[in-house]
Amino acid sequence: MTHDPLLAFRPEFPILDRCTYLVSNSLGAMPRTVPDRLAEYVDLWAERGVRAWADAWWRMPVAVGDEIAPLIGAASGEVAMMPNVSNAQAAILSALDYSAPRDTIVMTEMDFPSVRYVYDQLGPRLGARIVVVPSDDGVSIDADRLCAAIDERTRLVAISHVLFRSAYIVDVARVAAHARAMGALVALDAFHSVGVIPVDVRAIGADFLTGGVLKWLCGGPGGCFLWASPELSARVAPALTGWMAHTRPFAFEGEMDYAAGAARWLGGTPGIPALYAATEGPRIVRRAGIEAIRAKSIRQTTRLIELADARGYPVTAPRDANRRGGTVAFDVPHGADVAAELLARDVVIDYRPGAGIRVAPHFYTTDAEVERLVHEVDDILATDAWRKHEGARRVVT
């Protein structure tokens, strides 16, 4: 058996004692210290009341951003916490001018729908023309085709770093270099990359990056983040804004005077409880080491593909490990019902129509758990245990 030092972190996540947890691409396991952090929030509110804002709360959106910064190659004071990536991407969209000849935003059909909705609905109202690059195979985006869509009309390239449906890693450094040569800016949605693969905004050449702690960073809902390059941030500011982005928010001035640094991108009053929960997971990920996490992810996702191939299950994931993120989806007969039975057996995965059962081992996953998943699928199919869920009303998460 391979020695795995990352398994030393398993005691940090209580749910791992109760089930086989393979869904960190959707919601990372909760660190055991989160209740203590939330208790700090409760105690400070109870003891200090309104004074809690000045004691700690006003500083938290940027202070928590500093916990994320090392994981994306950013510096202290460059990352702002936001309630969700839709808001963060909308802030980016609202910061730019789309007058001709720079009137185009380039996206792909594989980007997360919530981000697409923002651009499709708000972009044209701001004068932007949206160009969507299709996928040839439903798994990847051809970098040549994407770069060909970026020209002298392009103001912004707003794309995913890792595609949510297939875990395909887009060659974003190449795309960003081409965009820069064309005079365009790049905004990356890195929700499916930060925490499972190494990310360095400066090495990539991005101008903006958004993501969240919900998934691979094990930080819970409501903790999303936005990085903007300091050079660009000094020149542009979001129209979608709020009083926390003001240099002097408590002066209650009638005219907007944007703050410097990450605070420039904040909106209204922050959601404080989510920020307390958001810190613990990223700290553990930093201790574990993103290079070690990535190496283990490649090994375990490769094994999942081998097991699926041996059974003839179609795999919706890149075969090239250098182009594969942390998730493997494979389809099986009666896939939705098989997935429901896996959940009933405390093998926690999720299911997507057209992709199949999505499996996301993380740094705290044992090799035996990866094997167990596939053997449980074997048993469910062999015994027709999936039939107990046939036709049942279900919610796809």
Side-chain angles (χ1 to χ4, degrees), residues 248-274:
R248 298 168 298 279
F250 295 100
F252 302 106
E253 299 171 6
E255 298 296 325
M256 186 59 173
D257 182 7
Y258 286 97
R264 186 181 198 85
W265 297 90
L266 297 177
T269 305
I272 298 301

Side-chain angles (χ1 to χ4, degrees), residues 102 147 150-154 176-185:
R102 291 282 179 183
C147 287
I150 303 166
D151 57 22
E152 290 82 358
R153 287 187 66 176
T154 307
H178 176 72
R180 190 171 301 278
M182 292 291 103
L185 302 174

Side-chain angles (χ1 to χ4, degrees), residues 262-320:
R264 186 181 198 85
W265 297 90
L266 297 177
T269 305
I272 298 301
L275 297 180
Y276 273 91
T279 59
E280 298 304 286
R283 289 173 178 171
I284 296 171
V285 168
R286 295 204 316 267
R287 283 164 48 206
I290 195 65
E291 296 291 346
I293 290 172
R294 173 61 173 158
K296 178 172 180 175
S297 176
I298 288 174
R299 177 171 60 80
Q300 291 190 328
T301 55
T302 297
R303 180 57 178 159
L304 276 167
I305 292 172
E306 291 172 352
L307 291 167
D309 284 346
R311 291 156 173 79
Y313 300 148
V315 174
T316 307
R319 299 290 175 150
D320 180 357

Side-chain angles (χ1 to χ4, degrees), residues 65-75 79 199 286 290:
D66 287 344
E67 301 282 355
I68 308 298
L71 292 166
I72 63 172
V79 178
V199 177
R286 295 204 316 267
I290 195 65

Side-chain angles (χ1 to χ4, degrees), residues 48-386:
R48 298 289 290 166
V50 72
R51 293 169 294 183
W53 288 107
D55 289 347
W57 292 354
W58 291 129
R59 299 185 296 275
M60 286 190 73
V62 176
V64 175
D66 287 344
E67 301 282 355
I68 308 298
L71 292 166
I72 63 172
S76 177
E78 292 182 357
V79 178
M81 299 302 293
M82 312 283 278
N84 55 62
V85 162
S86 296
N87 279 20
Q89 289 280 341
I92 295 167
L93 175 62
S94 76
L96 304 177
D97 175 69
Y98 302 98
S99 300
R102 291 282 179 183
D103 62 353
T104 301
I105 297 171
V106 174
M107 307 188 74
T108 85
E109 72 166 323
M110 298 290 282
D111 296 320
F112 191 68
S114 186
V115 175
R116 284 284 309 278
Y117 298 156
V118 169
Y119 283 87
D120 288 344
Q121 298 304 311
L122 183 57
R125 301 185 193 193
L126 298 176
R129 166 179 168 261
I130 311 296
V131 171
V132 178
V133 177
S135 169
D136 295 325
D137 57 7
V139 173
S140 64
I141 290 293
D142 182 81
D144 290 337
R145 194 170 188 178
L146 179 53
C147 287
I150 303 166
D151 57 22
E152 290 82 358
R153 287 187 66 176
T154 307
R155 170 66 68 194
L156 182 67
V157 181
I159 58 173
S160 301
H161 188 184
V162 173
L163 305 182
F164 82 102
R165 289 189 187 277
S166 63
Y168 179 83
I169 302 174
V170 178
D171 189 351
V172 289
R174 178 185 169 193
V175 173
H178 176 72
R180 190 171 301 278
M182 292 291 103
L185 302 174
V186 174
L188 291 183
D189 172 12
F191 218 132
H192 285 266
S193 60
V194 178
V196 73
I197 68 174
V199 177
D200 187 323
V201 286
R202 288 180 167 84
I204 290 169
D207 299 285
F208 303 98
L209 181 142
T210 63
V213 301
L214 176 71
K215 302 175 186 293
W216 302 110
L217 289 175
C218 304
C224 295
F225 51 86
L226 183 156
W227 173 85
S229 85
E231 297 78 17
L232 182 60
S233 191
R235 303 197 310 270
V236 301
L240 180 63
T241 189
W243 70 310
M244 287 296 96
H246 199 286
T247 300
R248 298 168 298 279
F250 295 100
F252 302 106
E253 299 171 6
E255 298 296 325
M256 186 59 173
D257 182 7
Y258 286 97
R264 186 181 198 85
W265 297 90
L266 297 177
T269 305
I272 298 301
L275 297 180
Y276 273 91
T279 59
E280 298 304 286
R283 289 173 178 171
I284 296 171
V285 168
R286 295 204 316 267
R287 283 164 48 206
I290 195 65
E291 296 291 346
I293 290 172
R294 173 61 173 158
K296 178 172 180 175
S297 176
I298 288 174
R299 177 171 60 80
Q300 291 190 328
T301 55
T302 297
R303 180 57 178 159
L304 276 167
I305 292 172
E306 291 172 352
L307 291 167
D309 284 346
R311 291 156 173 79
Y313 300 148
V315 174
T316 307
R319 299 290 175 150
D320 180 357
N322 293 321
R323 284 281 162 257
R324 186 174 66 245
T327 306
V328 169
F330 59 88
D331 216 351
V332 302
H334 320 291
D337 297 321
V338 171
E341 178 61 15
L342 285 168
L343 292 171
R345 298 183 182 196
D346 285 331
V347 179
V348 187
I349 44 75
D350 65 8
Y351 176 82
R352 291 288 187 273
I357 297 167
R358 297 199 310 167
V359 188
H362 206 3
F363 65 103
Y364 41 58
T365 303
T366 67
D367 292 347
E369 288 174 317
V370 171
E371 302 284 335
R372 180 198 171 192
L373 161 80
V374 180
H375 292 314
E376 291 284 1
V377 171
D378 292 342
D379 182 72
I380 291 166
L381 291 172
T383 63
D384 285 343
W386 60 271

